[in-house]
Amino acid sequence: MIVGVLGAGQLARMIALAGIPLGLDFIFLDPSADACANKLGEPLIGDYNDPALLAQLAERADVVTYEFENVPAEVAEFLASHTQVHPSPKALAVAQDRLVEKSFFFGLGIPTPDYAAVDSFESLEQAMITLGYPAILKSCTQGYDGKGQSLLKSPDDLKPAWELLQGVPAVVEAFVPFNREVSIIAVRSVSGEVVFYPLSENLHRGGILRVSECRTNDPMQQQAESYISRLLEALDYVGVLALELFEVDGQLVANEFAPRVHNSGHWTIEGAETSQFENHLRAILDLPLGSTAPVGNAAMVNFIGGLPKTEELLAIPHAHLHLYDKSPRKGRKVAHATIRAESQEQLSELVKKLTVLADQVDDS
Amino acid sequence: MIVGVLGAGQLARMIALAGIPLGLDFIFLDPSADACANKLGEPLIGDYNDPALLAQLAERADVVTYEFENVPAEVAEFLASHTQVHPSPKALAVAQDRLVEKSFFFGLGIPTPDYAAVDSFESLEQAMITLGYPAILKSCTQGYDGKGQSLLKSPDDLKPAWELLQGVPAVVEAFVPFNREVSIIAVRSVSGEVVFYPLSENLHRGGILRVSECRTNDPMQQQAESYISRLLEALDYVGVLALELFEVDGQLVANEFAPRVHNSGHWTIEGAETSQFENHLRAILDLPLGSTAPVGNAAMVNFIGGLPKTEELLAIPHAHLHLYDKSPRKGRKVAHATIRAESQEQLSELVKKLTVLADQVDDS
């Protein structure tokens, strides 16, 4: 069985590492010859919309999936008309545009921060009257890891933020005074089987995820499952879906969803009975889904921009290291480590140790 | 960092799957172009004693290891004189000859079944007077998975068993009326750090391992650790070492050791904090060793000769599937599954289910 993946970064790499023991083969389409998943399958090197490469991918792969949501709509449609593609082009289309995404949440009764569409400087000024400061201006498309976003603290910030957008459609959101950030990861198979992972509690800095911790028996679990279930059903979704949420006074508010395996679920490799990567493959191949039960107390720490010495990391008990084989670069995710501890106290202590090491090399 | 491996079978494959997340690259030397680890690194295809390929391996690999003990002595010596090789040629030499191995056990005070060297039909007849029936005749070299072995139940069995050997040196062993078969896996790093895994309790049939189960807090753990410690020290051993033992009336008797990762340790992938494969790599690269603490209650079931349907296997809760990407053939190990259960009762029940499936396709 051959799985085609658009993109050959670390998410594709971890999908392949989960799929090889299941007897799967992989083809990756990525513009970069040294993309870090390439060694784990057959690389097709070229643009995501290269017609010849897409035709080859569609011809040879039994199923195609992707590691990022900014797949051009025509590419997803072409692939879907020639082979199995999961998640569907429809899920991609909703995830690619913040305004469409927010309207979609609204239609499903999933609360979001107050927001307004912005297509001119005047509409931005107008929106701010209702929303109030602080607020965040985001381009509708192409943003990730905090890119294409500006924090608006006072009217003085409006002009520079608007100019940064260079006229692309945007959305301005009220800043949510959240108690914490969480995400839920769900999996739905071709046959409609659905499983949920325990909530991840997430810590971002500079718009980039730094630490995720598995929260077993979290009081917000049920509400999160209810919200993501509506997404799964409305999108007739197949694969892993991640929903990022804010908790505000005991209520969850949706931030955004990602139609793919997600950084906040990397702890599942060691910290859950079945990882998000294996369950994504099981889902798109219509195999029975694996248990999402937590294994021990788990958390994940990202390494951004640089990497501590391997011997230093491996000297930390219970640290499980995942290097992405990417050369360090400012703000670039190059590795993560999972801690799977015996108690919550031990977990906190070890996460602290790892975070200190991560911060020493982090230049972002 | 590049790790060279002699052999590209399932053991090499699982070593690579453990090493890739540590940022390691692999080169495999194997005669078969479709050996199942080849996809996970750079394959050198040719005989194990091909001088040009060996030179290439020695030149490019930072460290060389192997997945089988029958590496020709001159190959091990050549590699060791050009690069780091772990475990050492000395450990290989002892493991390759049953008679040398038994004398070595004897010298270290590790009990073995009674045995005698056999180099003629007369010496076999003579030995049987002392040892008594039943006994097992084994060629000194090249045997694995029960190959080159004959059970001697009565004097009538002597002639055909001797003829089967075709004159190669052999050893005849008294049959040990064991209560059970166990193995211990230990790891020693370049720096001399040592860790032990919990005992595996093993079930063989037809000379081939079928089921291994992790035995936490086994009363025999301490004795097994004492025996394998003597081996590690005497051999100045680096890497994973496996020692197979019989338990007879509360005492352990050594069967044989394997200077490599071992089938009875495959449950460590999901069932221990750090797998034998990762710890083997940490040991030979002189990195800190990982915890060998058990995770849940774990056991492994081998699939020999054939494979049940993937969907049937994955429908079993807590089953973790490891396909070796090898075409089925009589008596060939093609996959294993680990069960990591919440209780001993659940483990037994799920192992039973898996065993039924394994037996349905097993033609050995």
Side-chain angles (χ1 to χ4, degrees), chain B residues 9 102 213:
Chain B
K102 284 188 197 300
E213 191 174 321

Side-chain angles (χ1 to χ4, degrees), chain A residues 116-164:
Chain A
V118 168
D119 58 4
S120 65
F121 185 66
E122 291 66 38
S123 64
L124 174 58
E125 284 185 312
Q126 190 60 40
M128 288 311 297
I129 295 168
T130 325
L131 293 177
Y133 294 88
I136 304 161
L137 184 66
K138 301 175 174 178
S139 64
C140 280
T141 61
Q142 295 295 339
Y144 70 97
D145 282 354
K147 286 165 192 159
Q149 302 194 5
S150 301
L151 180 63
L152 310 173
K153 284 192 237 172
S154 77
D156 293 346
D157 294 332
L158 294 192
K159 202 81 200 176
W162 172 248
E163 277 166 7
L164 212 63

